Amino acid sequence: MLHTRTLAVVAASPLLVESVHPSRLFRLPGGHVTSARSIGDRALSRGKISREVMQQNYQKIREKYKSKKLPQDVNLKGVFACNELDLREVQVYGFDYDYTLACYKPSLDHLLYNLGRDMLIQRYKYPEGISELAYKEDFAVRGLHYDIEKGLLLKLDSFLQIQFGTVYRGLHPLPDEEVLRLYKNRIIPIAYVEAPHKHSHKEALHRTKMVQLADLFSVPEMGLLCNVTEYFLSNHIDYHPEILFRDVKNSVQSCHPIMHGMVVENVSEYLEQNKDLRRFFERLKKNNKNMFLVTNSPFHFVDTGMKFLVGNDWRDYFDVVIVQARKPKFFTEETRPLRIYDEINKTQLWDRVTTLEKGVIYLEGTVKQLQDMTGWQGHQVLYFGDHPYSDLADVTLEHGWRTGAIIKELSHEIATLNNPRFKENANWLQMLTGLIEDHQDYEGPDVQIVLNEWINERDSLRNEIKRVFNKQFGSVFRTYHNPTYFSRRLFRFADIYMSSITNLLEYSTSHTFYPRRGVMPHEYTSYFV
């Protein structure tokens, strides 16, 4: 799917294509690149062309690029549509808590990292030297895959292709040649990556050789994993990658209750204030919308955070509150009973739940019970979460709910897209790519030399564009030119997505979100003549 910002870049030249297809190019010893036809297939040769003419054509395209106005900025508070969504049909608004209503400061990543690191030493008896390893805040991005057999962190695109330059063992990237030696192919077989949809995340770990780290809580986990790997490599300590992965995951996850207690003690240290959240809830209530909360977090943690964000009366806005829901099981299982939480004794009651009452806190249960007891069904429900799988996949695929994704990193991504230097590079990259494809079928003694110069310039541009998002892994949403595996799932399971839930205040409760008409590869010329 190409969004508005992509169309603006594409529109810069009538010659544009998304990329030179990798099957058309061969990298020769020494790093030179040549096209398939220069090796012997000249049946479709366009004729001869000189270096001088090629350089003139380059200058013409360069002048055309300089004359183009830069695309307009993307709205930082925008809501972006993957699927048409008419809010007039929505009567019920549902919310996850963590990274949906409550967004955290970087201090929480440091806390989870430090707690997990200490747990590795105390519980699993990892070397004391690990205590000196500090969290690297800008190292990883979410949506990466970890190969639990090979011990590699890597980035895949929507076609399951490895993005070269983003395969890391520890803190160092693997050379492209080493990646190809390990995987035999740039494309990863689907069975290597994806478990059948019905399996839980834990089951998926046993059925696939790669696991995707798709939520923001996994970012410090990836940082710890790579730091410890680097420590083992640097100190020549033998280790098993899968054991390390499981120890790190279990350490970080087992520290969540400790993290909950520390956040409750000093909520302003870890939670970002959003003064618009109460106003957003007020508007929904004013328009007679029902609201519910389904979260995996415990009540005392949610209660403290919501009082900080909204006020002591936050529960008055919600018709149903369910904590410790154990998503995605909440959305996939059918037999787990709802239980009532006793706030005074801080325990669960054994009473049978036959109706859902406002003001009562519930635990566990299933989405079937929620729907049966409320009558909230299908497209009248819009549920917001930050995780494409545990929050959004099942409710849209199995229950027909509409979905909204809260992607906090979108703020950084859009700010980068709006940078004039980025816009210039992105536009020139597209025009240069078109120039390369337009000239690769000519003959002449210097054709390949000039093409190599252009391809090297293109490689340099692509790497610069990648690094401005994240030095190691680039954009959460793109590889060099394709959407990432994370983007593919996000666009599949979310009707709309945004950086903050309160971005919806920019739109009325009767607004219709329309996805932009994406330009397919065969449509470029017809759109931009």
Side-chain angles (χ1 to χ4, degrees):
M1 174 178 291
L2 293 173
H3 290 277
T4 319
R5 60 178 179 270
T6 312
L7 297 182
V9 173
V10 171
S13 169
L15 301 174
L16 298 187
V17 292
E18 181 65 12
S19 70
V20 177
H21 195 277
S23 66
R24 304 276 294 275
L25 300 174
F26 294 88
R27 193 168 291 278
L28 301 177
H32 299 294
V33 179
T34 183
S35 69
R37 290 199 176 93
S38 68
I39 292 176
D41 177 14
R42 285 293 175 182
L44 298 178
S45 172
R46 293 188 175 191
K48 293 188 179 294
I49 192 170
S50 67
R51 171 191 283 266
E52 289 73 26
V53 171
M54 291 180 73
Q55 289 173 338
Q56 288 171 13
N57 289 343
Y58 177 94
Q59 288 303 322
K60 286 178 183 177
I61 292 293
R62 189 75 183 169
E63 289 166 11
K64 187 173 184 179
Y65 147 74
K66 289 179 179 179
S67 69
K68 292 286 185 182
K69 290 181 64 175
L70 291 178
Q72 67 182 38
D73 282 355
V74 181
N75 181 7
L76 278 166
K77 291 190 175 182
V79 174
F80 306 95
C82 304
N83 191 22
E84 188 169 320
L85 174 62
D86 184 352
L87 292 184
R88 287 173 297 186
E89 297 178 348
V90 176
Q91 300 304 316
V92 185
Y93 284 71
F95 306 94
D96 179 34
Y97 174 71
D98 295 298
Y99 285 109
T100 300
L101 297 179
C103 288
Y104 297 98
K105 297 177 180 179
S107 53
L108 188 79
D109 289 344
H110 287 266
L111 175 62
L112 273 174
Y113 173 90
N114 291 336
L115 290 172
R117 181 193 60 195
D118 295 345
M119 186 69 71
L120 278 178
I121 296 170
Q122 294 162 14
R123 178 183 292 179
Y124 296 96
K125 308 306 177 185
Y126 274 57
E128 289 285 342
I130 288 171
S131 64
E132 303 297 320
L133 304 177
Y135 179 54
K136 292 177 169 52
E137 191 172 307
D138 297 322
F139 178 73
V141 297
R142 78 153 137 179
L144 302 176
H145 282 77
Y146 182 74
D147 189 320
I148 59 179
E149 283 193 338
K150 296 180 174 65
L152 301 174
L153 192 65
L154 64 156
K155 184 177 178 184
L156 299 180
D157 72 9
S158 57
F159 298 98
L160 301 182
Q161 293 180 118
I162 300 169
Q163 181 178 6
F164 286 145
T166 63
V167 181
Y168 276 72
R169 177 175 283 123
L171 301 177
H172 290 86
L174 264 61
D176 297 348
E177 296 79 9
E178 175 72 1
V179 174
L180 288 173
R181 186 186 69 78
L182 287 170
Y183 289 103
K184 315 301 182 193
N185 198 324
R186 187 175 177 177
I187 299 175
I188 305 295
I190 192 167
Y192 200 96
V193 178
E194 295 185 5
H197 174 67
K198 284 294 182 184
H199 296 299
S200 70
H201 182 66
K202 285 186 178 179
E203 290 172 325
L205 292 184
H206 295 284
R207 293 173 180 271
T208 62
K209 298 181 180 181
M210 284 190 181
V211 58
Q212 188 182 22
L213 299 151
D215 68 357
L216 283 172
F217 283 130
S218 67
V219 173
E221 187 179 306
M222 285 186 271
L224 181 58
L225 186 62
C226 289
N227 266 355
V228 176
T229 299
E230 189 68 24
Y231 179 89
F232 284 163
L233 294 172
S234 300
N235 290 279
H236 309 289
I237 299 172
D238 189 30
Y239 71 100
H240 193 296
E242 183 170 350
I243 292 173
L244 174 60
F245 171 73
R246 295 184 189 283
D247 286 352
V248 168
K249 176 167 280 295
N250 290 335
S251 293
V252 173
Q253 290 185 343
S254 66
C255 290
H256 274 240
I258 304 171
M259 177 270 286
H260 290 153
M262 295 179 72
V263 171
V264 165
E265 289 296 316
N266 192 4
V267 65
S268 62
E269 172 70 18
Y270 299 104
L271 200 56
E272 292 181 355
Q273 181 59 270
N274 185 347
K275 297 185 182 300
D276 290 328
L277 193 56
R278 186 181 183 92
R279 184 160 64 94
F280 175 61
F281 289 163
E282 291 279 4
R283 193 175 74 170
L284 293 181
K285 281 300 178 189
K286 183 180 177 182
N287 285 275
N288 300 314
K289 305 298 182 182
N290 295 111
M291 294 164 58
F292 68 91
L293 179 68
V294 175
T295 174
N296 287 350
S297 291
F299 175 71
H300 74 285
F301 181 67
V302 175
D303 186 48
T304 302
M306 289 299 286
K307 284 176 178 175
F308 173 76
L309 291 167
V310 180
N312 291 339
D313 60 345
W314 70 269
R315 288 161 61 178
D316 294 345
Y317 293 103
F318 290 90
D319 299 281
V320 178
V321 175
I322 301 174
V323 298
Q324 292 174 235
R326 298 184 188 174
K327 295 177 293 179
K329 289 184 177 181
F330 181 84
F331 296 126
T332 57
E333 295 189 354
E334 295 187 1
T335 58
R336 216 170 35 136
L338 270 170
R339 302 190 67 174
I340 297 172
Y341 179 70
D342 183 339
E343 297 179 52
I344 296 175
N345 297 310
K346 297 184 172 137
T347 188
Q348 306 171 26
L349 302 182
W350 56 81
D351 305 48
R352 184 187 298 272
V353 176
T354 56
T355 59
L356 295 175
E357 299 178 20
K358 187 170 183 174
V360 177
I361 304 300
Y362 300 94
L363 299 93
E364 301 187 1
T366 67
V367 69
K368 183 178 186 304
Q369 293 164 300
L370 175 64
Q371 293 185 127
D372 289 347
M373 292 184 197
T374 60
W376 299 336
Q377 300 283 344
H379 64 267
Q380 69 173 171
V381 183
L382 174 56
Y383 185 73
F384 294 91
D386 71 297
H387 197 300
Y389 309 133
S390 62
D391 286 329
L392 307 180
D394 290 297
V395 296
T396 186
L397 293 175
E398 303 292 336
H399 305 291
W401 289 8
R402 310 310 299 271
T403 52
I406 308 302
I407 309 298
K408 185 184 178 186
E409 308 97 300
L410 203 55
S411 295
H412 167 64
E413 296 265 338
I414 291 175
T416 303
L417 291 172
N418 289 343
N419 184 293
R421 172 70 176 172
F422 175 87
K423 293 181 184 181
E424 290 167 359
N425 282 341
N427 274 276
W428 177 234
L429 173 63
Q430 293 284 44
M431 299 181 81
L432 180 60
T433 299
L435 189 70
I436 291 168
E437 186 159 58
D438 231 31
H439 286 76
Q440 63 183 333
D441 295 325
Y442 283 102
E443 290 183 340
D446 296 326
V447 168
Q448 201 55 55
I449 295 172
V450 178
L451 279 175
N452 283 340
E453 293 171 359
W454 293 353
I455 290 168
N456 288 336
E457 181 180 357
R458 178 177 181 265
D459 287 345
S460 177
L461 274 171
R462 296 203 311 171
N463 285 321
E464 183 175 346
I465 286 171
K466 167 198 159 187
R467 286 193 296 267
V468 295
F469 290 101
N470 173 276
K471 186 177 178 182
Q472 290 74 226
F473 297 100
S475 169
V476 173
F477 296 90
R478 277 194 180 278
T479 55
Y480 286 127
H481 46 267
N482 290 331
T484 57
Y485 186 92
F486 175 82
S487 291
R488 171 192 175 193
R489 293 310 185 91
L490 173 69
F491 299 155
R492 172 66 183 90
F493 300 135
D495 292 301
I496 55 176
Y497 65 99
M498 65 213 78
S499 60
S500 169
I501 190 70
T502 50
N503 287 11
L504 284 165
L505 285 168
E506 304 280 310
Y507 308 84
S508 73
T509 55
S510 60
H511 187 87
T512 298
F513 293 100
Y514 295 100
R516 296 298 181 261
R517 182 180 175 88
V519 182
M520 299 179 189
H522 65 276
E523 295 178 326
Y524 281 113
T525 305
S526 68
Y527 270 66
F528 308 116
V529 179

